[in-house]
């Protein structure tokens, strides 16, 4: 979990910690060798001191570690052990008031190849006896803007059933090291996370952390958002109501079966990376869906919405829980091989601003102005899939942008089981080929969608098949959870840049917002 860098000192994330006003500077020893150590407004910088050569007249310094304050976890004093360097120092006859003192720095560093963050540390020795002064300055700077207290809600049965152990062994020690106080709640039943999010005093914490998968994240955001609308008197059943965002930040530790949200926010599915990004305290506002049926709220969602064979696939995984994790590949293959039922929906979309305006970007928090509803007509399909994000082409790979003020959805037309399998594999491996299939219709940059089962659809089928078709039309996959509708119609609205989430904001710095 925490490593001491034993070889070289690449910068924390490419930022020069030496920039900005100098706060403190002095000589320290690292592994017995003299270094210059500087604290500035933007971060800290450790430089190796080189003695002047015969051709030099001044001492030169080479930066070996540069870390900005958001990546520093803490500084702490280390008990002094007699070393050769300290022994030679005391033997030099210096006054007792000049004593060695040692302190350790803990910081996060990204591996540029894997995109994973790691907690590392370095031990420094000061022979001026002022370790306390260094620690005081570092602690004061590195704690600014970071969470001091968090509520962690753990789903103990999600994924491999190891979320609690993962939290205690890999997550909690990092939060403790960073000086973050924790309130821990473990869910005991279905929808317990919704109850906690709706009743816990979130004004007492700086964030709510989901320790689980996408479903856990969905439950927490649903509870927080619903609670806020009730407090503010917002008619949350109205699809066109302007919602009030929660005032508390939300984060996620990937410990479930589906961890797509954590991948969005951290660029990688990794427990330590997610934890360190929460400690950094940097946030952006993510999009969320509200899903409605006949002007009644069904659920809030933060990842995806699907129907057709996608919702049937999720239903099958629920029926096969006894198979544990093996149920997912089995349900996918069995659903794809099954003869597909053709769904018929009248589809309308709520268009976003013009593409020309969107290319110029927009300030975070600003509201895009919808240009009105457009009827796409009747669609014969086997599935639809929508993400609360924009599908973008990033270096020949597909990428989902969760902070973009619009969303895309896909309509999958009638296709063979093999074609469906190829589509799923290519899409989830982020291949551009997924959107180039002739049976895939890509609807881009919208703010809402309405689906109504075509009147008389399935009349050519026998009664049993017609009933099956009707039930399938009333089945939704919402963030990986099955939702049963009472009628074959639903509305979805995107609430843009709505929920403040802990993330690595630099991930989307090259994608227009």
């Amino acid at each position: 979990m925490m490593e001491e860098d034993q070889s070289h000192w690449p910068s924390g994330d490419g930022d020069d910690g030496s920039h900005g006003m100098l706060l403190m500077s002095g000589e320290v020893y690292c592994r017995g060798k003299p270094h210059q150590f500087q604290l500035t407004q933007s971060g800290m910088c450790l430089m190796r001191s080189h003695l002047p050569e015969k051709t030099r007249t001044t001492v030169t310094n080479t930066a070996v570690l540069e870390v900005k304050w958001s990546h520093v976890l803490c500084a702490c004093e280390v008990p002094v052990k007699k070393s050769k360097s300290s022994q030679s120092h005391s033997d030099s006859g210096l006054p007792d008031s000049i004593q060695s003192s040692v302190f350790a720095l803990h910081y996060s560093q990204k591996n540029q190849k894997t995109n994973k963050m790691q907690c590392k540390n370095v031990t420094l020795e000061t022979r001026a006896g002022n370790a306390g002064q260094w620690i005081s300055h570092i602690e004061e700077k590195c704690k600014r803007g970071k969470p001091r207290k968090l509520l962690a809600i753990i789903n103990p049965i999600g994924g491999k059933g190891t979320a609690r152990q993962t939290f205690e062994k890999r997550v909690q020690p990092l939060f403790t090291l960073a000086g973050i106080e924790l309130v821990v709640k473990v869910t005991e039943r279905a929808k317990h996370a919704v109850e906690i999010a709706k009743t816990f005093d979130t004004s007492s914490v700086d964030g709510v952390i989901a320790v689980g998968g996408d479903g856990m994240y969905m439950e927490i955001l649903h509870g927080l958002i619903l609670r806020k609308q009730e407090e503010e008197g917002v008619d949350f059943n109205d699809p066109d109501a302007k919602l009030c965002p929660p005032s508390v930040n939300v984060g996620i530790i990937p410990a479930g079966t589906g961890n797509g949200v954590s991948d969005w926010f951290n660029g990688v599915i990794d427990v330590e990376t997610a934890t360190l990004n929460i400690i950094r305290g940097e946030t952006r506002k993510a999009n969320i869906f509200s899903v409605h049926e006949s002007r009644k709220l069904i659920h809030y969602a933060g990842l995806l919405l699907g129907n057709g064979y996608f919702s049937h696939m999720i239903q099958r995984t629920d029926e096969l829980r006894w198979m544990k994790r093996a149920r997912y590949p089995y349900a996918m293959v069995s659903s794809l091989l099954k003869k597909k039922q053709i769904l018929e929906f009248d589809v309308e979309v709520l268009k976003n601003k013009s593409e020309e305006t969107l290319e110029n970007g927009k300030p975070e928090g600003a509201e895009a102005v919808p240009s009105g509803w457009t009827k796409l007509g009747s669609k014969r399909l086997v599935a639809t899939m929508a993400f609360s994000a924009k599908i973008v082409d990033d270096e020949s790979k597909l990428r989902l942008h969760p902070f973009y003020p619009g969303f895309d959805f896909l309509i999958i037309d009638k296709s063979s089981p093999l074609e469906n399998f190829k589509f799923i594999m290519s899409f989830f491996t982020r291949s551009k080929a997924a959107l180039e299939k002739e049976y895939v219709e890509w609807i881009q940059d919208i703010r809402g969608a309405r689906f109504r089962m075509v009147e008389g659809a399935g009349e050519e089928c026998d009664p049993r098949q017609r009933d099956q078709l009707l039930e399938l039309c009333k089945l939704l996959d919402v963030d990986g959870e099955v939702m049963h509708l009472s009628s074959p119609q639903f509305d979805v609205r995107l609430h843009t840049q709505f929920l403040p989430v802990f993330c690595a904001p630099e991930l989307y710095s090259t994608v227009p917002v």
Side-chain angles (χ1 to χ4, degrees):
M1 180 177 60
M2 291 171 285
E3 301 179 1
E4 181 168 0
D5 197 338
Q6 297 291 338
S7 54
H8 62 284
W9 302 97
S11 64
D13 62 353
D15 293 289
D16 186 354
S18 63
H19 292 171
M21 185 179 75
L22 187 65
L23 303 175
M24 186 174 179
S25 179
E27 185 178 66
V28 298
Y29 283 75
C30 181
R31 304 189 189 98
K33 296 181 179 180
H35 290 68
Q36 282 294 312
F37 190 39
Q38 293 182 347
L39 307 183
T40 71
Q41 289 288 2
S42 57
M44 60 187 193
C45 181
L46 184 68
M47 297 174 286
R48 183 180 293 115
S49 300
H50 296 277
L51 294 176
E53 300 175 0
K54 292 181 180 180
T55 56
R56 294 180 184 166
T57 57
T58 59
V59 174
T60 59
N61 295 317
T62 303
V64 292
L65 176 66
E66 296 172 315
V67 185
K68 67 177 185 177
W69 290 121
S70 62
H71 286 260
V72 180
L73 274 71
C74 70
C76 54
E77 194 161 6
V78 177
V80 177
K81 294 182 179 179
K82 284 286 184 179
S83 63
K84 291 182 180 179
S85 60
S86 60
Q87 184 66 44
S88 62
H89 179 68
S90 60
D91 290 345
S92 65
L94 290 172
D96 291 341
S97 59
I98 303 179
Q99 295 293 329
S100 295
S101 56
V102 181
F103 61 102
L105 299 173
H106 298 268
Y107 60 97
S108 61
Q109 185 178 81
K110 179 183 284 188
N111 183 315
Q112 297 299 332
K113 292 183 179 179
T114 65
N115 279 331
K116 293 182 179 180
M117 302 284 288
Q118 289 181 304
C119 182
K120 298 199 172 187
N121 67 76
V122 59
T123 301
L124 302 178
E125 177 186 351
T126 169
R127 297 180 180 177
N130 62 343
Q133 188 177 1
W134 284 109
I135 293 171
S136 178
H137 274 82
I138 293 169
E139 284 289 289
E140 192 274 332
K141 293 295 292 184
C142 77
K143 294 296 190 286
R144 289 185 182 179
K146 294 182 180 178
R148 300 296 180 92
K149 186 177 181 180
L150 296 170
L151 167 64
I153 306 177
I154 304 173
N155 176 12
I157 63 172
K160 296 180 179 179
T162 58
R164 189 168 189 169
Q165 295 90 324
T166 297
F167 180 80
E168 292 173 349
K169 293 179 180 180
R170 301 181 60 192
V171 179
Q172 192 166 2
L174 287 172
F175 283 144
T176 301
L177 181 66
I180 296 175
E181 183 182 350
L182 292 169
V183 179
V184 180
K185 302 283 185 180
V186 180
T187 58
E188 301 172 352
R189 55 189 175 275
K191 304 299 181 184
H192 191 192
V194 176
E195 297 173 29
I196 295 171
K198 287 188 69 176
T199 58
F200 185 86
D201 180 13
T202 55
S203 66
S204 66
V205 295
D206 301 308
V208 179
I209 309 303
V211 184
D214 298 329
M216 186 69 164
Y217 172 78
M218 177 189 70
E219 287 193 16
I220 290 174
L221 74 85
H222 180 76
L224 291 173
I225 297 171
L226 190 59
R227 171 185 178 175
K228 185 67 173 180
Q229 308 324 302
E230 291 172 345
E231 291 174 347
E232 299 295 333
V234 175
D235 182 6
F236 50 80
N237 286 315
D238 180 1
D240 299 313
K242 182 175 176 57
L243 301 183
C244 298
S247 55
V248 67
N249 301 319
V250 177
I252 183 167
I253 303 295
T257 302
N259 298 295
V261 174
S262 186
D263 190 18
W264 280 5
F265 297 161
N266 300 291
V268 66
I269 300 173
D270 179 66
V271 169
E272 187 170 359
T273 301
T275 305
L276 292 171
N277 279 329
I278 292 169
I279 292 171
R280 284 171 63 180
E282 296 183 72
T283 63
R284 286 188 71 172
K285 293 182 179 180
N287 300 336
I288 64 106
F289 278 144
S290 62
V291 185
H292 304 260
E293 178 196 357
S294 300
R295 299 188 70 82
K296 178 182 178 182
L297 176 70
I298 300 300
H299 221 283
Y300 294 112
L303 179 66
L304 62 86
L305 176 72
N307 75 340
Y309 69 66
F310 290 118
S311 53
H312 179 263
M313 195 184 307
I314 296 301
Q315 184 182 47
R316 286 291 289 152
T317 63
D318 272 1
E319 296 168 350
L320 299 168
R321 284 190 177 276
W322 58 272
M323 294 180 66
K324 298 185 178 179
R325 292 180 68 86
R327 71 187 190 268
Y328 291 96
Y330 179 84
M332 182 181 77
V333 173
S334 62
S335 295
L336 290 174
L337 292 178
K338 184 180 179 181
K339 183 180 178 180
K340 299 293 172 293
Q341 291 180 297
I342 306 300
L343 312 183
E344 292 186 70
F345 281 101
D346 285 325
V347 183
E348 295 179 83
V349 296
L350 183 62
K351 287 187 173 290
N352 212 333
K353 296 190 301 182
S354 69
E355 292 184 8
E356 180 181 357
T357 305
L358 284 170
E359 287 173 357
N360 295 328
K362 81 177 190 66
E364 185 169 313
E367 286 289 322
V369 180
S371 58
W373 288 92
T374 299
K375 292 184 177 181
L376 301 184
S378 297
K379 297 289 183 179
R380 290 173 56 86
L381 53 94
V382 295
T384 61
M385 179 170 60
F387 292 90
S388 58
K390 170 72 176 170
I391 303 173
V392 295
D393 179 6
D394 186 14
E395 298 179 354
S396 301
K397 285 284 187 180
L398 297 180
R399 191 176 182 187
L400 292 165
H401 190 336
F403 309 116
Y404 185 91
F407 78 97
D408 299 352
F409 76 88
L410 306 176
I411 295 177
I412 317 300
D413 202 345
K414 184 178 180 180
S415 52
S416 70
L418 180 59
E419 289 170 330
N420 291 329
F421 181 77
K422 286 181 177 179
F423 164 74
I424 289 178
M425 294 306 295
S426 59
F427 188 83
F428 286 102
T429 55
R430 302 182 181 182
S431 170
K432 293 173 62 177
L435 302 182
E436 296 169 355
K437 310 287 187 186
E438 61 181 11
Y439 51 86
V440 176
E441 184 176 359
W442 180 12
I443 311 298
Q444 301 185 58
D445 202 17
I446 60 174
R447 294 285 294 275
R450 293 171 178 157
F451 290 79
R452 304 285 185 275
M453 184 177 177
V454 173
E455 188 175 350
E459 285 186 347
E460 71 280 5
C461 304
D462 62 50
R464 181 173 172 273
Q465 290 178 323
R466 192 160 53 246
D467 289 344
Q468 290 178 342
L469 180 64
L470 180 61
E471 289 306 309
L472 186 58
C473 286
K474 295 191 293 184
L475 199 64
L476 290 183
D477 167 13
V478 182
D479 282 1
E481 300 292 326
V482 177
M483 302 283 173
H484 295 269
L485 304 176
S486 59
S487 60
Q489 57 180 316
F490 60 94
D491 289 9
V492 57
R493 296 292 192 281
L494 184 75
H495 302 271
T496 63
Q497 300 177 348
F498 183 81
L499 185 72
V501 296
F502 294 109
C503 65
E506 66 273 8
L507 287 173
Y508 300 93
S509 60
T510 59
V511 183
V513 177

